[in-house]
Amino acid sequence: MLSRKLVCVMRNTVLCATAIFSLTMLCIGQEDRPFYYYGDQKIYLTPSTSTVAAKIQPSLSTTYQTKYTTLSNYFRALDPSGSRPDLRILVSKNDASSTKATAALSTGLEAKEIFKVPVYKIGKITLVVQNEMIVQFKPDTTENTREALLKKFSNNYRHIDGTPEKYLVTLGNPESTLRVSNTLHDNHSVEYAQPNFLSIVAPIEGTHWNAPDVPENSPGPLDASPGNVSVAPSDPLFRRQWNLDNHFGNAQDGKASADISIIKAWNKTMGSDQIRVAVLDEGVDINHPDLVNSFAMQDGKVVQWDAILESDSQQPAATESHGTRVAGVIAATANNHIGIAGVAPGVRIIPIRMGSREDSADGVWTTPLIVDQAIRKAIQLGADVINASWQMSKADVVDGAIQYAATKGRNGKGTVVVCAAGNDGGPVVYPAQLASKFPIIAVGATNSWDDVKTRDSKDKETFWASNMGSELTVVAPGVGIVTTTNHSVGGDSNNDYVYDFDGTSSAAPQVAGVAALVLSVHPDWTAARVREHIANTATKLGTGQHSDQWGFGRVNACRAVEALNCN
């Protein structure tokens, strides 16, 4: 008969062995999953069961549409390089089952004229693996060392940004991209190596498009000179801009003090035309009547950039209105008797197109390299502030671009980078979460009751919630924001505005506008000082210095520009 002590030991041994076995299986299962490196962190990927992607052989780049006519029923063509049909990626439509999409490819797959491309998911982000990767070598490596290593995997590579250590490498097949980039990452000469994913992000935006009756003109007219703003501007929709100042009968339930106190801020400044705000988005409509005078100009032309097409001209498609909405929140012309007023109507916008919704009903697509180039171009074009109302998968190359902007932009003073925190009620998304590493601003959203936006908050918009976390800097109104949209969509000028621009996408540009007002008053301040000042002057929404829910508080434009009689 076994002693009680021996039975106990045996029982504990079995339990311990079971725990070790379970832990081992868990680790093996995790290690077996595909991943890429972000710094030294492994970002694990889940194969997509709902999206199919394919690539056309370059020899068929101009003829596949006629040869494989059924593909258009199931796929949309994305051209991440802008003008390179040989790099075109086909992505299944959101209404096509993966089975039907795969079947449509069968003939081309058998003929080896089309090949499938790996597709993964990280949360709500879809990652399509291209045959491209970005490799950054350590500064002390020689050119011979760099090129000898790259040639082991590909003879097709080029420098990026004119930087000797930074390369875009093109491989023969996307199936090998993850493996090769991970192998390069482990090399002692390499700072980082990661795939140049085609990233598709599903947007969360307002869905109620029935515009209410346009109210009568607000009291006015407004004398735009600083120190003389005591009434609402003549813009007829200002009454509905509760987020700016709701002391003029704005049509929104809630608290009278839930706005950003813009009228009193305008007594100090409405923004300097020497301050430039880059809107990095899916493009901005430069012909919108409420924005046409809001753009930075050079030699009689709008300063703009298309980072997808690498062109000094950009124009969003009819379906790409997000950037136009953001631009209106920041700098729509005030007191012109039409539409709305922006937070900083005196500053100038630089439109930079770095994402596209065209041919992608599932969301907006971009790549890490496009984002990197867009940020660096914004600095080159003189951006004092950058607005980033979007999210993407983590990427070292984007880290580097944002750090460069925040510390080296504006001739070393740093460009103020403002990022939306996210709309799913989870942790702060990337790149806003970089506010814990670099002097950038991460923005959450509130409603007209001055509550942080949640799925059960009083506004009754249950389909989204502001993201939260220690990285959050401030919050700003983000429910039912009235703003511009692409001009005369469908030929009807009544469609020039939307009344429900929801999300941290609409909160962030309000903070970007306030940052532009601060720089209008203090043009020599560093980006770090602007961030600290906006945080210190924010209106507290609870106890304590900082909260994961509301950061340092709701942005207060009046206090930020040091105007008089602020609340």
Side-chain angles (χ1 to χ4, degrees):
M1 188 172 179
L2 294 174
S3 69
R4 179 178 299 178
K5 182 176 181 181
L6 181 58
V7 170
C8 184
V9 169
M10 289 178 67
R11 181 182 297 129
N12 288 343
T13 302
V14 171
L15 290 174
C16 184
T18 302
I20 292 174
F21 176 75
S22 300
L23 181 61
T24 302
M25 290 300 293
L26 178 63
C27 293
I28 291 174
Q30 184 85 315
E31 289 298 330
D32 284 345
R33 290 173 59 191
F35 68 92
Y36 74 95
Y37 281 105
Y38 169 65
D40 289 326
Q41 177 187 2
K42 291 181 179 179
I43 306 297
Y44 287 96
L45 306 169
T46 301
S48 175
T49 58
S50 59
T51 304
V52 175
K55 189 170 173 58
I56 306 297
Q57 293 287 15
S59 60
L60 285 179
S61 60
T62 58
T63 62
Y64 81 92
Q65 287 178 317
T66 55
K67 187 168 184 178
Y68 298 104
T69 54
T70 60
L71 288 182
S72 61
N73 294 327
Y74 303 101
F75 290 87
R76 50 182 51 88
L78 307 183
D79 184 3
S81 61
S83 58
R84 293 281 302 282
D86 58 308
L87 295 179
R88 180 164 289 163
I89 301 288
L90 301 181
V91 179
S92 57
K93 296 179 180 180
N94 60 356
D95 57 352
S97 72
S98 57
T99 302
K100 291 180 179 179
T102 300
L105 295 173
S106 59
T107 303
L109 291 170
E110 291 173 4
K112 296 184 178 180
E113 295 174 332
I114 297 175
F115 53 90
K116 290 181 70 173
V117 173
V119 183
Y120 300 103
K121 298 283 287 187
I122 299 179
K124 295 183 178 180
I125 302 175
T126 299
L127 297 177
V128 180
V129 181
Q130 300 190 87
N131 57 335
E132 294 181 346
M133 59 184 182
I134 303 164
V135 181
Q136 174 78 50
F137 285 91
K138 294 178 179 177
D140 58 352
T141 57
T142 65
E143 183 175 3
N144 288 339
T145 299
R146 296 192 296 266
E147 296 199 356
L149 181 58
L150 293 179
K151 285 178 180 178
K152 291 181 180 180
F153 305 99
S154 175
N155 289 317
N156 190 352
Y157 53 83
R158 64 177 175 85
H159 291 292
I160 305 173
D161 302 331
T163 304
E165 298 87 8
K166 188 176 177 183
Y167 292 82
L168 177 67
V169 181
T170 303
L171 302 172
N173 192 324
E175 291 283 357
S176 64
T177 303
L178 278 177
R179 175 181 57 80
V180 173
S181 64
N182 290 343
T183 299
L184 283 169
H185 175 275
D186 291 335
N187 188 282
H188 64 86
S189 300
V190 174
E191 188 73 36
Y192 65 80
Q194 56 190 196
N196 189 31
F197 290 114
L198 180 69
S199 177
I200 304 174
V201 182
I204 301 177
E205 297 174 349
T207 56
H208 310 93
W209 283 82
N210 295 323
D213 293 336
V214 176
E216 68 280 1
N217 283 354
S218 302
L222 168 70
D223 182 341
S225 59
N228 201 24
V229 182
S230 58
V231 295
S234 66
D235 308 84
L237 292 178
F238 185 81
R239 281 184 176 274
R240 295 192 179 275
Q241 293 183 267
W242 70 269
N243 53 304
L244 298 189
D245 196 302
N246 56 359
H247 297 152
F248 292 98
N250 287 289
Q252 181 77 25
D253 293 335
K255 291 173 61 177
S257 59
D259 54 68
I260 68 170
S261 292
I262 201 65
I263 291 290
K264 290 179 179 179
W266 284 346
N267 278 309
K268 184 72 172 283
T269 180
M270 298 184 79
S272 165
D273 62 6
Q274 299 302 303
I275 299 299
R276 295 181 170 189
V277 182
V279 174
L280 271 62
D281 217 286
E282 55 187 16
V284 177
D285 184 357
I286 63 174
N287 297 312
H288 194 289
D290 225 355
L291 292 172
V292 70
N293 295 315
S294 301
F295 299 105
M297 305 291 291
Q298 184 172 347
D299 300 327
K301 296 180 180 179
V302 173
V303 177
Q304 56 186 317
W305 183 251
D306 191 320
I308 299 174
L309 299 176
E310 297 185 352
S311 167
D312 60 3
S313 178
Q314 61 80 51
Q315 183 65 25
T319 56
E320 300 174 334
S321 62
H322 192 270
T324 304
R325 299 181 185 195
V326 167
V329 172
I330 296 170
T333 304
N335 202 41
N336 60 350
H337 299 277
I338 64 170
I340 65 168
V343 172
V347 306
R348 295 294 176 258
I349 295 291
I350 302 175
I352 297 184
R353 182 172 178 259
M354 43 67 66
S356 176
R357 200 180 313 219
E358 191 173 15
D359 291 327
S360 181
D362 292 340
V364 179
W365 65 262
T366 190
T367 72
L369 183 58
I370 288 173
V371 174
D372 166 72
Q373 298 296 284
I375 293 170
R376 293 177 186 277
K377 190 66 176 183
I379 302 308
Q380 181 183 336
L381 295 176
D384 300 285
V385 181
I386 290 175
N387 187 87
S389 287
W390 39 266
Q391 70 176 97
M392 63 181 298
S393 57
K394 296 176 181 179
D396 289 308
V397 69
V398 176
D399 273 32
I402 289 179
Q403 182 180 23
Y404 172 77
T407 58
K408 304 298 183 183
R410 298 173 58 236
N411 297 316
K413 293 188 290 291
T415 293
V416 181
V417 180
V418 181
C419 300
N423 301 334
D424 62 9
V428 174
V429 299
Y430 184 89
Q433 61 189 226
L434 293 177
S436 64
K437 295 174 61 177
F438 310 132
I440 69 172
I441 300 175
V443 183
T446 56
N447 62 18
S448 58
W449 283 267
D450 227 7
D451 297 326
V452 173
K453 177 70 183 76
T454 62
R455 296 186 190 278
D456 58 357
S457 49
K458 295 178 183 178
D459 48 83
K460 298 181 181 179
E461 292 190 354
T462 59
F463 55 90
W464 73 280
S466 179
N467 288 20
M468 304 175 187
S470 60
E471 305 94 339
L472 204 64
T473 311
V474 290
V475 291
V479 179
I481 306 303
V482 184
T483 188
T484 51
T485 191
N486 289 357
H487 179 44
S488 299
V489 175
D492 183 356
S493 61
N494 290 326
N495 291 333
D496 285 353
Y497 301 89
V498 293
Y499 299 77
D500 59 350
F501 186 27
D502 291 333
T504 56
S505 279
S506 62
Q510 293 175 65
V511 177
V514 171
L517 292 178
V518 171
L519 287 175
S520 297
V521 178
H522 300 289
D524 293 329
W525 279 14
T526 64
R529 185 171 181 182
V530 172
R531 180 177 82 155
E532 181 181 13
H533 183 70
I534 287 175
N536 289 340
T537 57
T539 299
K540 302 299 180 186
L541 298 183
T543 59
Q545 182 70 11
H546 183 276
S547 162
D548 286 358
Q549 287 73 42
W550 41 262
F552 289 96
R554 175 185 26 82
V555 67
N556 187 313
C558 181
R559 293 179 186 172
V561 300
E562 302 160 316
L564 299 176
N565 303 315
C566 298
N567 294 327

